[in-house]
Amino acid sequence: ATHDPAVTEAVATLAELDVAAVADRIGPSVVTVNALDRGQVFGTGTGVIITDDGEIVTNAHVVADAETVRVRLDGETEPRDAEVLAIDEPNDLALLRIDATGLTPAVIAAPDDVTVGEPVVAIGFALALDGGASVTTGVVSALERTLVTEQGALGGLIQTDAAISSGNSGGPLVNADAEVIGINTAVATGSATTSASNVGFAI
């Protein structure tokens, strides 16, 4: 029998994936993002620090229609006010900034390095549960997927079976080296005629 070396390598890497180490490395770069209206939180998501002086990427839909946006850093209990620098609704991305220095930015993987079958870890504040971020694992299920949402069609997406829930939006999908390969954005849902299980998408 013949074996695909790429598949064999992916399976071996999955078996060796140190989830705790990956979560520990990416953890300081992951933040809670709260959207407020009239002082009340109406939405919670996740963000990824990309510069040491306070720039953060999240999903556009996390901060859409927010009067105020606040960000809580890893290890802190009080949120900080954030400025929305830019919103790219067609790609469901937003750029925030907080007044801070000395932060730990995430390492971004080269897009060409992402392969189907490689193990991944999703981290974010699923369901806005108390405590730290939720960590889930899976693989890259497919590349270049398109998903139609209420805001329009998102293209070039990474499909993963790592569990993604409300609150995970805007959080990182990372590889075994704790490098960000995508920003978690949505999950496929079933209907009266179709079923969907563990089909999530990252930008």
Side-chain angles (χ1 to χ4, degrees):
T2 59
H3 299 280
D4 185 337
V7 173
T8 301
E9 181 180 356
V11 171
T13 304
L14 180 61
E16 298 170 1
L17 177 64
D18 189 338
V19 178
V22 170
D24 186 62
R25 287 176 61 185
I26 193 65
S29 305
V30 180
V31 302
T32 308
V33 179
N34 287 324
L36 295 85
D37 183 32
R38 300 178 184 178
Q40 299 297 314
V41 176
F42 68 85
T44 298
T46 306
V48 183
I49 298 170
I50 59 170
T51 67
D52 62 4
D53 59 354
E55 290 190 352
I56 296 165
V57 169
T58 187
N59 282 146
H61 76 259
V62 170
V63 297
D65 302 321
E67 181 179 78
T68 305
V69 176
R70 290 184 182 149
V71 166
R72 182 168 54 82
L73 301 180
D74 179 57
E76 295 188 353
T77 57
E78 295 299 321
R80 306 181 184 211
D81 288 339
E83 176 187 4
V84 179
L85 297 181
I87 292 181
D88 180 1
E89 291 186 351
N91 289 306
D92 197 19
L93 292 173
L95 180 64
L96 315 178
R97 180 166 58 199
I98 60 173
D99 184 11
T101 58
L103 303 180
T104 303
V107 177
I108 310 299
D112 292 343
D113 289 344
V114 182
T115 58
V116 173
E118 74 170 293
V120 291
V121 174
I123 184 167
F125 296 91
L127 304 181
L129 296 171
D130 292 339
S134 297
V135 178
T136 58
T137 63
V139 298
V140 172
S141 303
L143 299 171
E144 298 298 325
R145 292 297 201 206
T146 299
L147 177 68
V148 178
T149 70
E150 294 179 357
Q151 291 74 36
L154 294 172
L157 301 176
I158 298 169
Q159 180 187 329
T160 181
D161 63 347
I164 297 172
S165 303
S166 296
N168 274 115
S169 292
L173 186 70
V174 301
N175 62 21
D177 295 320
E179 298 171 335
V180 177
I181 66 170
I183 300 297
N184 299 318
T185 187
V187 294
T189 56
S191 68
T193 57
T194 63
S195 62
S197 180
N198 297 335
V199 181
F201 300 96
I203 302 165

